[in-house]
């Protein structure tokens, strides 16, 4: 006869237990043992939903841009990763890939073109006899920097006439960067994820004047999360392209990004092809010059300022 549910009652039918198994329904009162596989399933299914949602989401992003953010906006949570999970997953894949392969975002290889010289005049740095070539999404180079270039930079870092502490510190940072072209990537890896959490809502605000009529800000935020997730995925593809020896992986990623953003705008907002092309180009130009460029300049100045004596900031 069923009794009151309690510590010695069956969890299924609430009958009194007289041993491990319920005499009415056969329920085992002991919880099943947890296995390492169960924890892995929890990680994949409950945290990232890799087993079902991720493959479908990635396939839709690549084949039908705009469908994923449109489903998010329509409240369809059954097929795709949620907007935040999609962004977190894409960024995690990107940084894990970079760490496991040794790929760095940026390195500048210096080549001598003549007799190297560097000098500072009127708060500007002038140089000649060498050039810097940026390499994106590649493993760090093992090339030794030319000693003549380092010597020219060293001399400029001690120049007194026409230079102040900030100018000399900027040259010092440049010299250290040449000695270790991949050194700045530690700071990039630290600050890039933080900066993107700030830039994503600003990206949504850039979308607002382009698609303001009858739209809510949350719609633009959803598209912004999708667009930044797409960028992480394409950067990985660009790095793999470099592995194949073709080169120009970043250019490939940026071109594909522009194409997919155009298709995404058309699928998500219902734009015409002409409107999606024009608005997509305007969006990314504004994003680059109004948001990323000031951020890069501020980052470079901050790096230089770390080498400036404290007295420089308190001079009268």
């Amino acid at each position: 006869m069923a009794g009151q549910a309690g510590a010695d009652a069956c969890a299924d039918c609430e009958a009194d237990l007289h041993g491990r198994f319920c005499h009415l329904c056969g329920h085992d009162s002991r919880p099943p043992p947890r296995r390492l596989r169960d924890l892995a399933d929890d990680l994949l299914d409950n945290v990232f939903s890799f087993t079902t949602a991720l493959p479908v989401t990635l396939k839709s992003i690549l084949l039908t841009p705009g469908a994923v953010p449109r489903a998010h906006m329509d409240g369809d949570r059954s097929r795709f990763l949620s907007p935040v999970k999609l962004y977190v997953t894409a960024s995690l894949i990107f940084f894990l890939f970079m760490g496991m392969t040794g790929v760095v975002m940026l390195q500048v290889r210096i080549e001598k073109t003549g007799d190297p010289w560097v000098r500072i005049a009127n708060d500007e740095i002038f140089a000649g006899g060498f050039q810097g070539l940026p390499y994106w999404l590649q493993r760090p180079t093992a090339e030794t920097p030319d000693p003549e270039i380092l010597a020219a930079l060293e001399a400029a870092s001690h120049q007194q006439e026409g230079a102040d502490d900030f100018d000399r510190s900027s040259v010092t940072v440049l010299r250290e960067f040449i000695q270790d072209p991949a050194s700045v990537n530690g700071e990039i890896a630290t600050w890039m994820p933080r900066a993107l959490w700030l830039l994503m809502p600003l990206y949504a605000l850039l979308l607002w004047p382009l698609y303001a009529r009858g739209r809510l800000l949350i719609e633009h935020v959803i598209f912004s999360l999708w667009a930044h997730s797409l960028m992480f995925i394409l950067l990985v593809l660009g790095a793999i392209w470099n592995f194949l020896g073709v080169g120009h992986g970043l250019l490939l990623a940026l071109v594909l990004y522009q194409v997919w953003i155009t298709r995404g705008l058309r699928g998500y907002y219902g734009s015409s092809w002409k409107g999606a092309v024009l608005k997509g180009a305007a969006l990314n130009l504004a994003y680059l010059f109004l948001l990323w460029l000031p951020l890069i300049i501020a980052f470079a100045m901050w790096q230089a300022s770390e080498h400036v004596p404290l007295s420089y900031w308190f001079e009268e």
Side-chain angles (χ1 to χ4, degrees):
M1 182 176 179
Q4 296 295 322
D8 296 324
C10 175
D12 277 0
C13 67
E14 301 183 357
D16 292 333
L17 288 176
H18 303 284
R20 174 179 174 180
F21 296 95
C22 177
H23 65 283
L24 289 182
C25 66
H27 176 74
D28 188 349
S29 63
R30 294 183 185 177
R34 296 287 287 174
R35 299 168 297 174
L36 184 61
R37 178 180 175 181
D38 296 328
L39 294 178
D41 287 342
D42 287 344
L43 176 66
L44 296 179
D45 290 327
N46 298 331
V47 178
F48 295 111
S49 301
F50 272 10
T51 53
T52 55
L54 182 62
V56 176
T57 303
L58 292 179
K59 181 180 178 181
S60 183
I61 287 175
L62 295 175
L63 299 182
T64 56
V68 173
R70 186 69 259 170
H72 291 159
M73 191 58 224
D74 293 340
D76 183 358
R77 298 180 177 87
S78 60
R79 292 182 297 158
F80 304 126
L81 293 178
S82 68
V84 174
K85 276 189 178 181
L86 173 60
Y87 173 77
V88 171
T89 302
S91 61
L92 179 62
I93 291 173
F94 171 75
F95 286 108
L96 282 177
F97 173 84
M98 300 286 276
M100 294 175 64
T101 60
V103 170
V104 295
M105 277 293 297
L106 170 65
Q107 54 185 311
V108 178
R109 300 175 189 175
I110 306 299
E111 295 183 357
K112 190 166 67 172
T113 58
D115 295 327
W117 59 269
V118 182
R119 66 173 179 268
I120 304 170
N122 300 322
D123 289 330
E124 291 188 52
I125 300 171
F126 300 90
F130 62 96
Q131 62 179 357
L133 301 175
Y135 287 80
W136 299 87
L137 299 176
Q138 296 189 18
R139 290 191 176 98
T141 177
E143 297 177 1
T144 303
D146 191 288
E148 292 185 29
I149 300 174
L150 294 178
L153 288 164
E154 175 68 17
S157 68
H158 297 289
Q159 178 184 330
Q160 297 299 319
E161 185 178 355
D164 59 21
D165 287 334
F166 191 86
D167 297 325
R168 287 188 290 270
S169 70
S170 298
V171 175
T172 299
V173 171
L174 180 60
R175 178 165 53 87
E176 293 177 355
F177 188 54
I178 292 175
Q179 289 176 312
D180 184 4
S183 61
V184 72
N185 287 276
E187 297 288 353
I188 291 176
T190 299
W191 288 101
M192 182 178 173
R194 304 175 187 179
L196 285 174
W197 283 110
L198 171 65
L199 292 178
M200 278 190 296
L202 296 179
Y203 184 95
L205 289 175
L206 292 177
L207 277 164
W208 205 345
L210 297 176
Y211 295 98
R213 191 172 184 179
R215 302 285 181 179
L216 299 175
L217 181 59
I218 186 60
E219 297 183 59
H220 308 314
V221 172
I222 288 174
F223 188 86
S224 178
L225 286 164
W226 174 84
H228 286 81
S229 303
L230 174 67
M231 187 73 257
F232 279 124
I233 295 170
L234 293 179
L235 286 175
V236 171
L237 293 179
I240 294 174
W241 188 258
N242 285 336
F243 283 164
L244 299 177
V246 181
H248 305 292
L250 179 65
L251 178 62
L252 174 68
L254 293 177
V255 171
L256 290 178
Y257 180 76
Q258 186 62 51
V259 172
W260 256 253
I261 282 295
T262 301
R263 296 179 63 192
L265 289 172
R266 186 172 186 271
Y268 184 67
Y269 291 104
S271 301
S272 64
W273 276 114
K274 181 180 178 181
V277 170
L278 294 177
K279 292 181 179 180
L283 172 66
N284 287 331
L285 286 174
Y287 188 49
L288 175 63
F289 289 104
L290 297 181
L291 299 181
W292 269 110
L293 187 58
L295 192 64
I296 292 171
I297 293 173
F299 178 79
M301 293 184 66
W302 171 64
Q303 288 286 295
S305 68
E306 289 198 323
H307 295 74
V308 178
L310 190 62
S311 59
Y312 171 81
W313 305 107
F314 295 97
E315 291 179 354
E316 294 184 358

